[in-house]
Each structure stands twice: as structure tokens, then as C-alpha cells.
Amino acid sequence: MVGDLADWLPMDVDIWAWVGGTQRELHEAGNTGLAMALGDVPAQALEGRFAQLDVVAPAITQHAESLEKPWLELFARYWHLLGRVGDRAMGGVALDDAASLAEFAERGDVSDCPAAPGGVEVLAITQANTDGPGYAATRLSSLGAALDGVGPDSLAFSGLVTQYVAALVDAGQAAEGVAYAEAAVERLRGAGREASWELGAASVRALLAAGRPDDALTALDASTGFKPDDPVAKGRREALLRSLVLATLGRTQEAVEALPDLDVVGDHPREWVEWAHTVRMLVTGGGSIANSWQLGRILRQWMTYFETMGGHRARFELALTAGHLAVARQGLWQARLLADEAEAALAGLRATEGLADRVAELRAAAGAAAEAPAPGPRDELVAYFDAADGSTADPERWVGWLWPLSGTDLEATRRHTTTLGFLGYPGVGADIYWKAVAEDGDPAAAGEEDLAYLTGLLIEARQDERVESLAARLPETASHLALARLHRARERWEQTAAEAELAVANGGGLEARRLWSGAVQQLGDNAKAAEILKPLLETGEAEEEDVWRVIVMSTAVEDWATVRSAATGLGMPIEPGEGPIEEEWHLVRVILPAPDGSQREVLAVRTGPATARLAIPQPRGMEYNAGDVVVIDPRPLEPIPEGEEERESFVIPFAGVTMLRPGGYTSWFFDGAAPTEDEWTEFNEVLAERGWPMWVYSDENYRVTHPASGEQLPGVFGWIAIPPAVRPADLDAVLDDVTEQWSHPLAWLDLAREVGIEAERHERISKEYGL
């Protein structure tokens, strides 16, 4: 709600007043969905609901353009971009969008918006993500110009200053950054405002860069009570910064205790470089942090992310950090590859002074370190590899031990290259395997296993041309299968289906049928997709996952004979008969998409192997409602608890697949002061007797205003769904009758307007109670 956000985020009251006013305008104009989404956009950006944000924000932007509301467009574009370049730390891929927003914010009909300086702020953040030092001078210039026109009383001041201090640090002017931050804090105090936590953190980093870690710790303690611009991230970001400061001071154990766990920072790219840098300090400082191959694998994944997102400086810094950690654990082959990775990242940087020397330092460290001794003679290493405990063996060391054999000994090559791919180096493994199979050998004579491994590595390394070249040299079945794998990986479903069908026609086995069926299902033909897999059920080749796929697809096209037969084969107790399976099994949670890009969890009754009937009324605008029967994927989305007591209260969640049979129910909204317990019991009983589903969407924090005293009263709002045979007037009459004697009236304004009865009364109730 707008009121909650206004309390949560340190944004100017005028902005939230404008947001609330815009929402009311949109409601009155009939844009209810847009109005509801508007206030949620900042929370989506800060809470990490990015799938939802990436749908909602562009939709608001598009509507804002059509409605000629430039402030609304700025609002949506700003938060969407902040969601991309803030927590997700996108760099080069977002530069054009950031520059466009900054330019848009300078337009005459936008520049007087209090949030307009945010365009300069997010552009500076994006440039810093791309190459902080390389864009330092540009950032200082644009931020300085923006600050010239903004005082400490502005909501934009603290954010602009935070970015200006960061730019000074990147420019090598850490002492100036400290002084600037301190002056800005004093200016804010003079204006009766408090610095944001982020500004305090920027000051701490400037003090660290200036070689003043003791002062940095003092500043961090002093800023801990500041209100954050990003309240969701503050806890982990403050803990990470504290760990970094303590590690710099040599207080290793305290730093280890403060360091957020990997599962805390793992979904937040903005923290990755600082976290990795801190970990390296703690590892070399004798901390209890495990310098393991798993850590190396994670850092490699992070580098790939930044390479994709144009975070060139982050990619470079992570490569060097990961390289030195690899040297420390004797993963020397990886350290050398990481030096190559860091060198490759230089091409994307604008400022490279001294960086080549740092790469050379890593190479020298790898060259001076001793290799870990192999566990046995070279000609026995494959046997040792196969005998190793898969849960405790170190794959990083095995890559080093097998490297001398890889490319010449095929068994060693298989194990070496696939392990390289597992550790995040599929391109290196693909090059070695390609030479062994396609250059030094005849791929047409290679075994199915080698072709599958090689194709997988080539696809993962995005060496598509090599896959096509390999396919051209293979026998027909293997050729079609290789191309089908490639097309599936790139989500080219028509091509996948065509190649997989040809593979099946030429004697292709289980994988070919699965590829063909999966692609046909993606193209929307469930009936054909099921028919493709049915022969596997008849021959006994099908595995359980194939049987379930047939059940789901056959359910979607109401081929109940096949569903019954397949379910019986799995030992499911289906009642005998023909036609639809409409039994009453147990409650489930069905996860369904919402129009705003999010997902909704809807309570339902499972009615068959792959069907469920929704039990909860949904707000208007949804594509489903109570009474609808949907197809579900029978694989639980969460593990079923092991304890008997936990299992009794656990409701299994399943993914919704498609609508099977709409129930035709219509939902109507009600809102008002909460009734007494007896009144509410009667209300529920009356609706239940008629079979009209009702669900309360408000929580215990919802309040309405007493029209006489102004007292805040507990409120309640929700939806009631009626079947197609029931007229809206019937619901209106029942509600009128059951709530007639309530202490406070209930309002159902939309329903009253629909039936044309006492709409004015419901409008008055809504206004008087502040609904």
C-alpha cells in the first residue's frame, strides 16, 4: 500500500502524495490493474521480485505514454532500471537504457518532478557497474552538475551524494570522498534531515580506500541507525561491510562471524565482488573460511554472469580474486585460466593502468606454486578417478591430474573435459574434446556417449557452428539427434521437433522421442506430444517421468482412457469407469501466473492424477477463478516433510499447467469494518450453505476509519464468487439480508452498481469509512 511504502522508503512525502493521487485518477478512469500495480513497483525492485517487475514496469511505462503522463513514465522507468542496475548490478547491457532515462528526465515536462535527478543517479550507477574507474570522470561531471541544482532538502540529495563519493573513490581521490561525505552529512543535519545508510556506507568505503580502517569502523558504527534507501538489503550489506572493515583491521575471527553466508549473498550480484574480496582476505589471514573447489565454482559462475551483463570491472576483479584463491588451494590450472579471463576482461575497460601488472602477478604466483601430487601413476589415473568417492573427491584437482592425458587417452579425455564443464569451463573442455573426436579422429566412428558428451559441451560453450559442423559429419540418426539437442537448448521448438522426428524415423531411441514430444508440447499440441511417447509405455521403455508426462498431456486434451491406463500402470487407485476423472482427493496448493508477472498460490482440491479444482475466489482480471478445473504438473514443488505431524498439516504445492474446464464463476468485492465473531460466523455459514466460495484477502493490519469518532477500526475485505446460474442480484439480496443488523455496514460497491440497487449508499459507506 502507498501508506506503507511512504513509511518504509525515505522518499519525499510529495512523491507519495503524487503516487496516491495518480492511483485515484487511474481507478476513476477504469485502469484498476494499473493503479494497483503502481504502488507496488518500488517494493518489487527492492524485494527482488524481478520477474514481476520486468512485466509490470514496462506495462506502466506503456500506459503512461498513452495517457500522456510523463511523471508516471519516469516513475516506472526509474524503478525498473534501479531494479536492474541496483541489486542485479547490470552494467554495459543497461547503459543505453540508463542514458535514455537521464535524457528523458531533462525534458521540460519532466524536469520539475522531484524525482527527476534520479535519472542521473541510475546512469552513474550503471556506469560504475560497467567500469567504475573508467567512468569516474564522467560520473563526477554529471553528478556534480545535478548536485548544483539540488539542496539537502531534496529527496534526491543523499542518493546523488552517495554516488559522487563512490565516483571520487573510483577516481583515486578517496580523501576527497571522505571530506565530501562528511560535508554532505552536515548539510543534511542543517536542513533537519538525516543521511541515508547508503551515504554512511559510501563514507566507510572512502575511509578504507584512504587507508583509515579504524575510522571506517567508527563511521560504520555511527551510521548503523541511519534509515536506508534499500531497507531490504541493509542487513546483509551492513554485515558484509563490517566484515570487510574488520578483516582489513586484522580482526579475523570477528570478520568471519560478521560475514554473510554464501546463501545470503548468492542471489545479489551487487555484493559479489566485495564478498569475494573479503573472503580472500580472510582465507589468507588465517580465517576459518573454507577455500574449496565449490567456492571456485561459484566465483566462476559469478564471472560468467558479469560477462553476460557487461560488468567488465567486476569480471576482472573476480577473476583475479578467484585466481589467487585457486593458487592458495593448488588449483594452478584454474589460476592460469583465470589470468586469461582477467586479461580478456581488459578489452571492455576504459581505464586499465596497472591492471596488466596485476594479471602478471597472478601468473607469476601460479608459476611459482607447487602442483598437488597425483594419487597414483599416470597410466592408472582413470581407474583412480572412477574409484574416487563422488561426494568427497575434489574435481578441481582431478582436472589438473588428468590434464597430461587429456586429448590423447579417450577415457581420460571424457572425464577431464566433462569435469572442466562442471567447474565452469565448458569452452576449454569442448576445445580439447573437439580435437580428440573431430580433428584427430573420425566423429562418425565415435560412440554415442562421446557424441553426447561433446555435443553437450559445445552447446554449453555456445559453439553452435561446431555442433552444426559435427552433425554434418555424422550418420543420419546421430546427426539429427545432435541438431535437435542444439535447437532445444536455444528454444527453437519447430526445428527441434523436425530434427527429433527425423531421428526417431531413423531408429533414434528414448532421447529422440523425448526431444520430439517436448518440442511438440511447447508448440501447443498436447495430443500429438502424448502420442509420440505412448509407444514407450507399450514397449516398457518408459521411465516414470515419461508416464507422468503422458498423463499430464492426455489430461490437457481430455484423453481419459489414456490417463486411466497410465495411472493404473503407476499403481494409482482410480475409480473404474469412463470419461473425466472427477474424484475428491486432498487439498493442494496450485501455483498459477498473475497478470503482473508474479505467481499466485491458490488453494484447490485435487480431483485426479493431474487435475485440481480451484477453491478460492480470485480478484477480477485474473484468468481463473474458484470452480475452475486446471491441469497440474504432479511433481511437488516442495519436498514433503518427513515427520508424520508435519505431513498432516502440509498442503503440497503443484505448478499449474493449463486451464482444463472453466467453472464460470464471477467474483465480487466486499470491504468494510470487521463484524463481530457471531456476525462473521453467520456470514460464512450463509455463503457456505449456498456453495458460494468466499476468501478474505485483508490481514490483521487492515484498518478502516470510524466515520463519527475517527477511531481506527479493524477492517476486512475480500471476494465472493458465484456460479454462472446465480444472478448478481441474488448475491446482493443475500448480502443485504445477512449484514442488515451489523454494527458497521459492509460495502460491495461494484456489485451494487452492477445490479443498480443502492449504489449511492455503498459509495457513502466507502467514503465515510475510508475504504
Side-chain angles (χ1 to χ4, degrees), residues 282-612:
L282 295 176
V283 166
T284 57
S288 56
I289 301 295
N291 183 14
S292 63
W293 66 265
Q294 291 95 333
L295 174 61
R297 185 168 183 252
I298 290 293
L299 296 183
R300 175 62 185 158
Q301 291 170 355
W302 290 356
M303 278 176 264
T304 301
Y305 174 86
F306 282 120
E307 182 179 7
T308 303
M309 297 301 166
H312 307 301
R313 182 70 57 164
R315 176 189 172 197
F316 176 84
E317 293 295 340
L318 280 174
L320 287 186
T321 298
H324 285 290
L325 286 168
V327 171
R329 63 177 181 267
Q330 294 181 291
L332 305 186
W333 65 267
Q334 186 164 195
R336 297 185 187 99
L337 289 178
L338 289 166
D340 294 341
E341 179 81 10
E343 193 167 61
L346 293 177
L349 298 176
R350 293 158 57 109
T352 60
E353 184 178 355
L355 300 188
D357 292 339
R358 294 175 63 192
V359 176
E361 180 187 355
L362 174 57
R363 293 193 195 281
E371 298 275 2
R378 180 178 294 187
D379 58 355
E380 298 178 20
L381 285 178
V382 170
Y384 275 95
F385 179 96
D386 292 343
D389 184 340
S391 61
T392 60
D394 186 333
E396 187 176 79
R397 293 206 169 185
W398 274 108
V399 167
W401 293 330
L402 291 173
W403 207 301
L405 293 169
S406 190
T408 55
D409 181 299
L410 189 56
E411 293 294 333
T413 302
R414 289 171 180 161
R415 292 156 177 78
H416 179 244
T417 54
T418 51
T419 307
L420 272 168
F422 170 73
L423 291 172
Y425 299 89
V428 178
D431 289 345
I432 296 170
Y433 217 160
W434 175 264
K435 187 175 187 304
V437 173
E439 292 182 3
D440 297 343
D442 178 9
E448 289 184 12
E449 186 180 39
D450 285 312
L451 292 176
Y453 284 156
L454 176 57
T455 305
L457 281 169
L458 293 172
I459 290 171
E460 190 177 356
R462 305 200 73 84
Q463 296 182 14
D464 293 11
E465 291 184 3
R466 276 186 169 175
V467 178
E468 293 167 355
S469 173
L470 176 68
R473 298 169 60 186
L474 295 175
E476 194 166 7
T477 303
S479 174
H480 293 307
L481 190 56
L483 290 173
R485 290 169 179 153
L486 172 62
H487 292 313
R488 179 194 57 185
R490 305 297 176 249
E491 297 185 356
R492 298 190 289 257
W493 303 117
E494 290 184 359
Q495 294 94 320
T496 304
E499 294 293 343
E501 183 178 8
L502 289 169
V504 170
N506 284 276
L510 180 61
E511 183 187 2
R513 281 196 177 273
R514 285 174 172 168
L515 285 167
W516 184 16
S517 175
V520 169
Q521 185 181 22
Q522 288 288 341
L523 292 169
D525 193 341
N526 284 292
K528 182 178 179 181
E531 289 297 327
I532 292 168
L533 286 183
K534 280 184 187 178
L536 299 177
L537 276 62
E538 297 165 3
T539 62
E541 295 177 79
E543 297 177 6
E544 187 172 327
E545 66 172 280
D546 301 306
V547 180
W548 274 116
R549 283 195 60 209
V550 169
I551 288 174
V552 170
M553 293 184 293
S554 298
T555 299
V557 296
E558 301 203 62
D559 177 2
W560 298 109
T562 297
V563 174
R564 290 175 180 277
S565 173
T568 301
L570 290 175
M572 301 188 75
I574 304 294
E575 294 179 5
E578 298 179 355
I581 300 172
E582 296 179 346
E583 303 177 9
E584 300 284 320
W585 287 14
H586 52 85
L587 285 176
V588 296
R589 292 177 283 156
V590 180
I591 311 303
L592 295 163
D596 62 4
S598 64
Q599 291 184 319
R600 293 180 66 87
E601 186 177 280
V602 182
L603 198 65
V605 177
R606 191 171 181 181
T607 58
T611 51

Side-chain angles (χ1 to χ4, degrees), residues 59 69 126 175 201 212 247 285 345 353 416 456 504 522 555 595-596 616 624 746 754 761:
K69 289 183 175 293
T126 311
R212 297 166 56 187
E353 184 178 355
H416 179 244
V504 170
Q522 288 288 341
T555 299
D596 62 4
I616 304 301
Y624 41 84
L746 197 66
E754 173 72 17
R761 180 173 74 89

Side-chain angles (χ1 to χ4, degrees), residues 27 35 39 64 98 147 159 162 210 218 482 555 569 591 619 702 707 726 751:
H27 270 298
L147 283 163
T162 300
T218 301
T555 299
I591 311 303
Y702 182 55
V726 175
L751 176 61

Side-chain angles (χ1 to χ4, degrees), residues 228-252:
D229 289 332
D230 186 343
V232 177
K234 194 242 184 184
R236 68 172 184 272
R237 299 195 75 199
E238 185 173 29
L240 175 55
L241 185 55
R242 183 171 298 277
S243 181
L244 174 61
V245 174
L246 290 169
T248 305
L249 287 167
R251 293 162 60 172
T252 303

Side-chain angles (χ1 to χ4, degrees), residues 586-590 601-604 638 641 646-654:
H586 52 85
L587 285 176
V588 296
R589 292 177 283 156
V590 180
E601 186 177 280
V602 182
L603 198 65
E638 296 175 13
E646 292 176 296
R647 279 201 305 271
E648 287 181 1
S649 60
F650 182 71
V651 180
I652 306 172
F654 297 104

